[in-house]
Amino acid sequence: MNKAISKAIEFRYRIEKDVLAAMKKPHIQYWIFLFISVILFVTGMSLWYYQIKTGMGVSGKTHPVGWYMYITNFVFWVGIAHSGTLISAVLFLFRAGFRSSFNRSAEAMTVFAIMTAGLFPIIHLGRPWLFYWLLPYPNERLLWVNFKSPLIWDVFAVGTYFTVSLIFFYVGMIPDLAIARRYATGWKRRLYSFLSLGWQGTPDQWRHYNRLYMFLASFATPLVVSVHSVVSWDFAMSIIPGWHTTIFAPYFVAGAIFSGTAMVITLVVPMRKFFSLEKYITLDHFDSIAKILLLTSLIVSYSYIVEFSMAFYGGNIFEMEVFRYRAFGDFWIFFAIMIICNSIIPLFLFIRKLRRNIKFLFISSLFVNVGMWMERFVIIVTSLSRDFDPYAWGLPSFSTVAIGITLGSFGMFFMLFLIFVKVLPILSITELKEVHE
Amino acid sequence: MNRRNFMKFLGFITGSTFLSSCGIDKGLRKIISYAIPPEKEIIPGEPLFFNTTCTECPALCGIQVKAYEKIFDTERGIYPVKLEGIPDHPINYGTLCIRGQASITRLYNPHRIKDPLIKERDGVFRSISWDQAFQTIISEIEKHKAEKRYNFFISSRTTGSLSLLIDEFCHEFNIKRLPEFEIYNYSAIRKANSFLFGKYSIPHYNIKDADFLLTMGADIFETFISPVSHAVQFSIARKNNNLKWFHVEPHLSLTGICSDKRFTINPGTEIYLLIYILTSIQKRKISSNIPASVGQLIPSLPLDILKEKTGLKEEEILLIRDAYLNSKRPLIITGGVSTRSGSGFEVAVLSGLINWASGSIGSLVDFSREENYLRVGTIEEFVNFLKTIDENNTGLLFLLKTDPVSIFPQHLGVKEKLIRARFKVSLSDSFNETTKICDLILPLSHSLESWGDANPRRGLVNLIQPATKTIFNTKSHGDIIIEIMKRKGKVVSEDFKSFVMSNYQKRYGKDSLNMFIEKGFHEENPSPVRVSFNEENAQLFLRKLKYPEAMKTPLLILSPSLRFFDGRSFDLELLKEIPDPLSTISYGSWISLSEETAKKLNISERDELEITKDQWSIRVPAKIQKGIGKDIFIVQIGGPINYSGMTDPRSGEILSYIEGINIRKTGKNVSIPILSGSMSQEGRGIIPYPIHRTENNKKHKESLYPEHKHENYRWAMTIDLDLCIGCSACVAACYIENNVPIVGINEHLKGREMSWIRVEPFYDEKDGIRFLLMLCQQCDYAPCEPVCPVYATYHNPEGINAQVYNRCVGTRYCSNNCPYKVRRFNWYPHEWEFPRDRMLNPEVSVRQAGVMEKCTFCIQRIRRAHDIAKDEGRSIRDGEVMPACAQTCPTRAITFGNILDKNSSVYKLSKSDRSYRIFEQLGTEPSIYYLGKRRGDE
Amino acid sequence: MRRSLVLATISCYASIFSIIFLSIGYYNYYHDGPPIQPIAFSHRIHVAKVGLPCNFCHVYADKSKNAGIPHIQKCMDCHRAVAVEKPEIKKLTSYWEQRKPIEWIKIYKLPDHVYFSHKRHIKKGVECSQCHGEVQVMDRVRRVRTLKMGWCVRCHRVNDAPTDCLTCHK
């Protein structure tokens, strides 16, 4: 009896130790990664400055291709943001045990991804210094925003999503912060004690906490669907052949979860390795998350088929041209990459061995990330460059600035994530305790 | 701290805060008050109008200059902002062509010559004062007089007082005045007319009275004599007597495309067809004015020879013949490439004979209104003159507004020959090959800065009056010559203005002078001219008539350019910015060839080709185009490429054919800005054939959004594709009216042109080449409107898709969502540096970078109309408002008005059975109605 | 103790100063302070004392977009006789004698993207003073309205004048 208790306590300490070990003095590799991502981020920002100074022309957009890499990135990052909520909130509601080993990093990822995504609508504005005109606020001009415009819906959708996921992320962290406080010293101690909002772990604190967490989880779940639906309506609401379809909402949501899950794997695999968390993030966990990946991949591939067959059976001359062009036109290579990455490679996950093979999983997740970026790019560019009036057909032009800013966004994302792993507990200690008892 | 420091502190703080609170001046602008009011009252903010003459090409249309008073920091002046035709001018009837519209940019061209320049020993030009310039000229004249050298005066076509003045000038200084040098001198036609009718002149063609028109090679809408006049008359004839128009040409020209039916004939074989038509008129005994003595000499050609020579199909030949015979008032016009061939003279004579036979001479071919080409010489004459120049005998050489050096290819050594003259004075407004070799350059004022008159044709005088003070240190040609003569003590009159006025008074008396200045032109009914038919010559001609050999392929045809005329308009940026309507290429030159030719020589688009013939050679990128004959290559002259310099001794014309050229691929791949994404309609029924009938104007689809309520006005436009000739005048007009920026070739290569209105050529169903005018369709359910997050674009109560430039944040969503892709984004800031800033239309704001812009149906004009209507307490009348495009359209293809008014012409036309709207199935409900094009056989 | 006292005084003093001057600066920034004109023309004298109507000098106010300002000849019509010895009038006469245009400094200026017509407002019976303030009490005219969009729109709404963007935006 006594022994049992002491064993349990000892075990708890071990979990805390292992998890918080990650927050110890960083390894040299860490610094290298951080340095690279910071460099990328800084170059990205300075390129943006250059773009504002010289004019939108440098971003390679043309007439008729008015949207290009920036909107691609926007959609891509919003997509990435999804898995966070999915894994933590939805799986929490479904009581999926394996969740606890991913949720923290997934949530962090969500927050950072939205921060990155949120930049792009501003970057792609012709006059970014006036971005606040998109917000409905009483102003001296007595003007209002146009609520018919999907772009305004975006503002709200993304805004809401960011707020909620930030709160969810933070609330989930409070007990762990309290633990971290116990181990930390100096300014860190002060920081954690401030952040943990005087958490004592008393029973009724726990009671309230659980209620709140449950509530937030159920509140966040619909957002998984809504946000990306709204983003997809940027396209679906328009008249452009190749955009103007009804399946866009589910299609985009699936795609978002797909890419998000992939990104989780991409991040967790190295994390697990560096901080030797094999004990807590086991193969079973990977197995089950790989299943999600497989499922969503199938949904996405299905939507591809649907799109094409709709164009084909619809017999609308404009639609048919766009989809012919998408597959065999100037951007066929992008299309091919997209198909290979999103629809073919994930099929291997039907094999159990591969699902449990970390290396393969990691690599395929990278492919999926690329594939999903391509998907958005292909949808946006091919539809725009071949719309109604043949005279106005045209191509975008190559632009280093756009590419630089795109890389910059990746830099920003990884920078934030790397900082996160050092300053905050990367796994949910309390939940691990629950699970492992 | 002691008391002192304390004080210091206080002082320091006081001072610094004081400084920080001032310096709030926000770039104060000035208002300048006149010392004395100008004699012509200027109401600030209201436009002024001057009637004057367009001198961009020899057609000399009458133009109305719209000018505004503007203030630039401390100077207050009047500056022209737009040119429009004088409403009742007998040449252009209120319309203007692309070059005429662009002519205003010549005034504000920053590359103009700004001061008199003299060439130093080391060959660089140094600017001098006008005084020095005149002194040098005088001293030079004296010198060469002493040394007994000849002096020469070459000019491009001059008319009216200027011509008289030059005569006096030449006489005064015994300078030999040479025949005027024009590359398009129509000498074949003039010679033929003198040969047949004893009149060495170009008649006025009354197209508007004809009911059948057969044109051969004559590019009546590009450069031929008076393009605008032809276009206007064409549309009148279409409306009044339902003109039928066939065009026969060896190459592919704008004119050809616009005709009802276009026949591609083997180069240089027009004669066969002409003779055939002549014989068939003869055979039908009735109503041939040709006396039997001549008639019997006309050879009769068997059809099969005709077929194999001309390459025309039998039914085509018969179609032309019957059309000619069955029409009451047929007219045949030959010219352009057809008369610039070895058999040019014969072609001209035969067409003269046909016109005589069918009794068109005198009525449709009007010699009493003959074009004023009296002083214009032939290329032959010029070439002969070149032979005579040499160091010892040639002293002074005046070159007035002419550029022979760049017109003739290098290997002919025109440059070398001209250099031989001791002292060369060039009067020119911009630098060109000829000014380079001159010793003294006198900068000419634009006609908008100077006084003068013009005499385009018999019985018509135009006034040239200044609309602004000279922008640079320039003088008008008239004033320069008068000044020189003054220096010599010979006072013709104190300045050119008074000279012009006195000339006018001499001819028409004093009383009508003010009228003349007000109206800008004076027309009198010219005394009728009797034309007699010269039988002997006709017989002689027919006896000695020999048939030309087929031309050797591959053949290069040098065709005139719509945009650059003979190259004189090439230095206008705007004309380069606007694409050529046939190829949609804006900047640079190209060579067009048919697909099969390309396949044969495996040439692909944008390949650079080297075309050589003897010493003559050019390098141009290839452009594959439908509707061109086999093994035929077409290059537009003007600008970098020009004629080969070969001339035909009999007609004295320059040859526009180069036979048996050899083509070599240089292997380079030149990027040329082809603005069209696809030359085909891709079967989208944009220009439907057969024409949409009413079934397409079906009930409109239900919309989620509430119906727009248009109370009094709903502006709409109809575009008659049957009249649209793709001349691009509207595009130029739009550029000028709306301050549309010129972005240059690099942006064009990316497809970022800025034009709000464009001419889209579509090459479809068996060479059916059609032009479509595409501008903002001002839809009722405009896809651009709901997507704008900030209401920068919205539907205004009068049905216009408004675009509020300074509200736009630049999401470009509207442009993406526009099915017609007519919105333009400002990718970079545009500089309007001096003197271009003077040209800006104050009624339209200048858009800054990052903003979307588009056609607004010229809202500023609508606003002005409202203003006037309100003052008079009425509503706007039909036809009172005209957007720039509609206003300048030479064929009046564009009609604009309020479609709620059941009596408006727009309403009536929109209900026509030809009317349709583009992409109607999208339910955007455009307010631009197109009237489908008829075919020749309809 | 003493030291801190001194510092306190200084800081108080400084803050008071900066508040005063910054507020003046702010005020001036939003209502341009009356600029110094080449000739100290006084609207007070001409309107209040002499009693000239606005359109006596600004003749185009009801004819055109711009109200226009008088040419010197007009000024001289009176000032050949009136108040000739005054220094400012001397200035005027010197301008006149040299036939030199006067460069007045513009006070009411609208941005390039705004279309405004005096004529329309006058014809609707809008008083000059509604926008230009009580010039008859100003020796040196200064701008009394922000000329910002909201200000225009409010007035347009009150007098149900058209509020379509294209009425004023070009």
Side-chain angles (χ1 to χ4, degrees), chain A residues 284-351:
Chain A
D284 305 337
H285 296 145
F286 278 110
D287 188 359
S288 27
I289 203 156
K291 283 176 185 154
I292 297 183
L293 198 65
L294 178 56
L295 174 69
T296 44
S297 146
L298 292 174
I299 299 174
V300 169
S301 323
Y302 172 72
S303 338
Y304 293 159
I305 298 161
V306 171
E307 265 194 318
F308 274 82
S309 34
M310 275 203 299
F312 183 70
Y313 287 114
N316 177 322
I317 182 166
F318 307 120
E319 287 279 333
M320 282 165 87
E321 167 60 17
V322 163
F323 282 96
R324 187 202 61 75
Y325 181 71
R326 186 174 288 180
F328 310 109
D330 302 304
F331 295 96
W332 67 271
I333 184 79
F334 292 75
F335 182 79
I337 295 171
M338 159 188 131
I339 290 295
I340 292 163
C341 297
N342 296 354
S343 308
I344 295 170
I345 292 176
L347 291 182
F348 290 100
L349 295 175
F350 273 115
I351 305 159

Side-chain angles (χ1 to χ4, degrees), chain B residues 1-3 6 9-11 13-14 17-18 20-22 24 26-37 41-46 68 73-74 76 791 794-798 800-806 841-847 856 859 863-864 866-868 870-871, chain C residues 2-3 6-7 9-10 13-15 17-18 21-22 24-26 28-30 32-33 35 60 63-74 95-96 99-107 109-115 117 119-120 123 143 162 164-170:
Chain B
M1 122 136 25
N2 55 22
R3 208 186 78 270
F6 185 75
F9 265 109
L10 293 189
I13 290 157
T14 323
T17 37
F18 205 104
S20 70
S21 69
C22 49
I24 48 156
K26 290 184 283 149
L28 295 168
R29 277 199 267 104
K30 300 265 176 58
I31 333 174
I32 317 294
S33 68
Y34 281 110
I36 318 166
E41 193 197 12
I42 300 167
I43 301 176
E46 294 290 305
Y68 276 94
D73 51 32
T74 64
R76 177 174 183 167
Y791 278 123
Y794 72 100
H795 200 80
N796 113 317
E798 301 184 351
I800 292 169
N801 292 127
Q803 176 76 15
V804 185
Y805 300 123
N806 60 303
N841 180 358
E843 300 278 317
V844 180
S845 65
V846 177
R847 282 77 61 186
T856 60
I859 184 67
R863 195 185 285 125
R864 170 163 289 281
H866 270 303
D867 197 43
I868 295 164
K870 268 186 192 160
D871 290 349
Chain C
R2 182 161 167 284
R3 186 184 177 70
V6 171
L7 286 175
T9 4
I10 292 176
Y13 178 81
S15 49
F17 243 96
S18 32
F21 279 101
L22 291 179
I24 292 170
Y26 180 84
N28 282 343
Y29 187 82
Y30 280 104
D32 279 359
Y60 298 118
K63 291 187 189 60
S64 163
K65 280 162 55 193
N66 311 25
I69 52 161
H71 36 77
I72 308 177
Q73 202 174 46
K74 186 154 198 138
Y95 269 106
W96 170 245
R99 297 286 184 273
K100 182 158 165 280
I102 307 174
E103 297 176 10
W104 301 101
I105 291 162
K106 202 168 184 185
I107 298 170
K109 43 187 180 301
L110 290 166
D112 173 46
H113 55 256
V114 174
Y115 169 87
S117 166
K119 182 167 89 180
R120 288 265 71 81
K123 291 220 165 153
R143 185 152 63 78
D164 172 29
C165 309
L166 287 192
T167 326
C168 310
H169 284 293
K170 58 184 193 184

Side-chain angles (χ1 to χ4, degrees), chain B residues 446-463:
Chain B
H446 191 279
S447 59
L448 293 173
E449 299 167 316
S450 41
W451 282 97
D453 63 0
N455 181 346
R457 66 185 189 207
R458 194 153 169 274
L460 176 63
V461 192
N462 286 358
L463 174 71

Side-chain angles (χ1 to χ4, degrees), chain B residues 485-605:
Chain B
M485 290 167 89
K486 268 196 195 148
R487 285 286 189 302
K488 196 74 190 322
K490 165 88 169 156
V491 179
V492 187
S493 66
E494 77 275 13
D495 64 357
F496 192 52
K497 177 184 178 182
S498 52
F499 184 75
V500 171
M501 293 306 151
S502 60
N503 278 333
Y504 181 85
Q505 287 174 18
K506 269 187 223 121
R507 276 180 62 194
Y508 305 103
K510 203 170 184 51
D511 37 5
S512 68
L513 183 61
N514 293 338
M515 181 67 171
F516 179 53
I517 293 170
E518 192 54 35
K519 261 176 72 192
F521 67 94
H522 176 84
E523 191 183 26
E524 56 183 348
N525 277 353
S527 51
V529 175
R530 251 197 77 267
V531 182
S532 60
F533 182 70
N534 185 329
E535 271 189 55
E536 305 77 61
N537 278 352
Q539 293 172 353
L540 188 77
F541 170 80
L542 289 170
R543 284 217 186 74
K544 304 233 290 351
L545 175 65
K546 49 180 165 355
Y547 297 101
E549 289 310 307
M551 291 198 180
K552 285 195 269 342
T553 55
L555 175 75
L556 180 68
I557 302 180
L558 301 146
S559 81
S561 154
L562 167 71
R563 298 181 295 163
F564 309 128
F565 198 69
D566 59 1
R568 72 181 65 187
S569 303
F570 187 74
D571 50 3
L572 300 185
E573 281 301 306
L574 177 57
L575 290 176
K576 296 191 204 122
E577 184 88 357
I578 298 170
D580 166 63
L582 267 63
S583 59
T584 74
I585 295 174
S586 56
Y587 287 81
S589 49
W590 67 96
I591 183 163
S592 321
L593 60 153
S594 71
E595 276 155 331
E596 57 174 337
T597 319
K599 203 172 279 101
K600 203 179 86 190
L601 308 166
N602 89 83
I603 297 166
S604 53
E605 211 154 79

Side-chain angles (χ1 to χ4, degrees), chain A residues 318 388-390, chain B residues 684-688 692 696-697 719 721 760 762 772-775 777 779 819-820 915-930:
Chain A
F318 307 120
F388 300 94
D389 181 2
Chain B
R684 298 182 174 196
I686 296 169
I687 306 175
H692 272 247
N696 210 307
N697 306 350
I719 299 171
L721 299 182
E760 301 183 347
F762 288 118
L772 180 86
L773 216 52
M774 180 53 81
L775 64 159
Q777 304 285 308
C779 315
Y820 309 95
S915 99
Y916 73 97
R917 295 184 288 182
I918 295 181
F919 302 140
E920 208 136 10
Q921 64 271 39
L922 299 179
T924 53
E925 297 294 315
S927 64
I928 293 188
Y929 295 79
Y930 290 84

Side-chain angles (χ1 to χ4, degrees), chain A residues 55-225:
Chain A
M56 206 53 187
V58 298
S59 70
K61 299 186 196 67
T62 59
H63 190 264
V65 184
W67 287 358
Y68 194 31
M69 289 196 192
Y70 299 151
I71 297 297
T72 310
N73 293 332
F74 170 67
V75 181
F76 175 76
W77 284 116
V78 173
I80 295 297
H82 267 61
S83 59
T85 333
L86 180 87
I87 288 176
S88 39
V90 179
L91 298 188
F92 174 79
L93 295 181
F94 290 135
R95 299 279 183 281
F98 72 96
R99 157 190 182 282
S100 54
S101 27
F102 294 104
N103 71 326
R104 179 59 47 74
S105 41
E107 286 160 22
M109 200 180 81
T110 304
V111 176
F112 302 146
I114 302 185
M115 287 163 73
T116 325
L119 272 183
F120 278 101
I122 301 174
I123 293 178
H124 107 294
L125 285 185
R127 302 200 290 175
W129 52 90
L130 297 175
F131 74 95
Y132 60 89
W133 282 1
L134 275 73
L135 308 173
Y137 68 101
N139 55 24
E140 167 274 331
R141 288 172 226 86
L142 309 180
L143 291 173
W144 203 237
V145 296
N146 177 4
F147 281 105
K148 283 181 203 159
S149 167
L151 292 182
I152 292 296
W153 308 345
D154 269 357
V155 173
F156 286 98
V158 174
T160 322
Y161 192 57
F162 177 64
T163 339
V164 170
S165 43
L166 184 64
I167 295 170
F168 193 56
F169 174 55
Y170 177 57
V171 167
M173 215 158 40
I174 290 174
D176 296 2
L177 287 169
I179 298 168
R181 174 186 56 189
R182 243 192 287 132
Y183 288 81
T185 54
W187 66 271
K188 274 191 173 175
R189 192 189 175 81
R190 251 193 244 118
L191 175 69
Y192 292 133
S193 47
F194 174 74
L195 289 177
S196 57
L197 306 173
W199 175 267
Q200 295 305 334
T202 59
D204 57 341
Q205 270 185 343
W206 270 112
R207 202 172 65 254
H208 291 304
Y209 174 81
N210 288 334
R211 282 229 191 90
L212 173 62
Y213 198 70
M214 170 64 82
F215 165 72
L216 283 174
S218 37
F219 186 72
T221 312
L223 289 178
V224 179
V225 182

Side-chain angles (χ1 to χ4, degrees), chain B residues 381 750 763 777 780:
Chain B
E381 287 169 310
K750 293 199 176 90
Y763 293 67
Q777 304 285 308
D780 253 355

